[in-house]
Amino acid sequence: MMDKILQPDGRSVVRVKVVNRGHQQLPAYATPQSAGMDLRANLDAPITLHPMERRLIPTGLHIALPEGYEAQIRPRSGLALKHGLTVLNAPGTIDADYRGEVGVVLINLSDKDFVVNDGERIAQMVIARYEQSELVVVEELDETVRGEGGYGHTGVK
């Protein structure tokens, strides 16, 4: 099976094999230009996340990405803004050779309990191309205008 297909509108689409061992619909893009697909909680019973509590939320999905691609698990902005809920290791990375269940590490950063219900959209999954690197040891690096200016450096006047 080819990793990429060309759509009638000219867009290139990466094929990702998926096994759905849960009872939720497959992730889908909400709009034609969405970068991420919504992932849903696949639960037998609701899970209450207390303030500052973190839990691994199952999705029921297992994926096989083509070599050279990763799946990034990112927070949903609405959950973050309205409820203080985010993905703890954002973005989480799913490597092309991982075949286990896709899980989402959620944390409740608010001061109120949050109940995760079955089927709730809990995160986004973005499929992204990457390249591996070869580290080359050198004695010094080339000079730049920024130099060693670190955190907050470019915002200071």
Side-chain angles (χ1 to χ4, degrees):
M1 178 163 82
M2 291 178 46
D3 292 342
K4 281 188 166 187
I5 56 171
L6 194 60
Q7 296 291 351
D9 62 5
R11 291 181 301 126
S12 177
V13 176
V14 176
R15 286 187 155 166
V16 176
K17 296 176 186 174
V18 61
V19 173
N20 188 354
R21 294 200 174 122
H23 52 268
Q24 301 302 328
Q25 63 193 32
L26 289 179
Y29 295 102
T31 67
Q33 294 183 19
S34 293
M37 298 177 257
D38 287 332
L39 292 175
R40 296 179 181 273
N42 189 69
L43 305 172
D44 294 326
I47 293 175
T48 299
L49 283 174
H50 303 293
M52 299 308 295
E53 184 179 9
R54 63 186 179 271
R55 294 279 295 269
L56 180 63
I57 309 298
T59 66
L61 302 173
H62 298 251
I63 61 175
L65 295 159
E67 186 176 338
Y69 287 86
E70 66 166 326
Q72 299 174 359
I73 308 303
R74 301 179 181 187
R76 293 193 68 241
S77 57
L79 286 179
L81 178 63
K82 296 174 187 171
H83 304 286
L85 203 70
T86 192
V87 175
L88 187 58
N89 60 324
T93 295
I94 299 172
D95 294 310
D97 57 353
Y98 177 68
R99 296 297 182 266
E101 182 176 5
V102 174
V104 177
V105 181
L106 288 182
I107 185 167
N108 180 357
L109 297 175
S110 78
D111 58 355
K112 297 180 176 90
D113 285 353
F114 182 86
V115 177
V116 181
N117 291 298
D118 183 46
E120 185 151 5
R121 295 178 299 156
I122 56 170
Q124 298 182 74
M125 180 170 66
V126 174
I127 306 300
R129 184 140 183 73
Y130 70 88
E131 294 186 31
Q132 289 188 330
S133 302
E134 176 184 349
L135 299 179
V136 179
V137 177
V138 296
E139 293 300 316
E140 58 185 54
L141 302 175
D142 58 313
E143 295 292 324
T144 66
V145 173
R146 181 175 182 171
E148 294 186 19
Y151 297 100
H153 174 75
T154 57
V156 177
K157 298 218 179 223

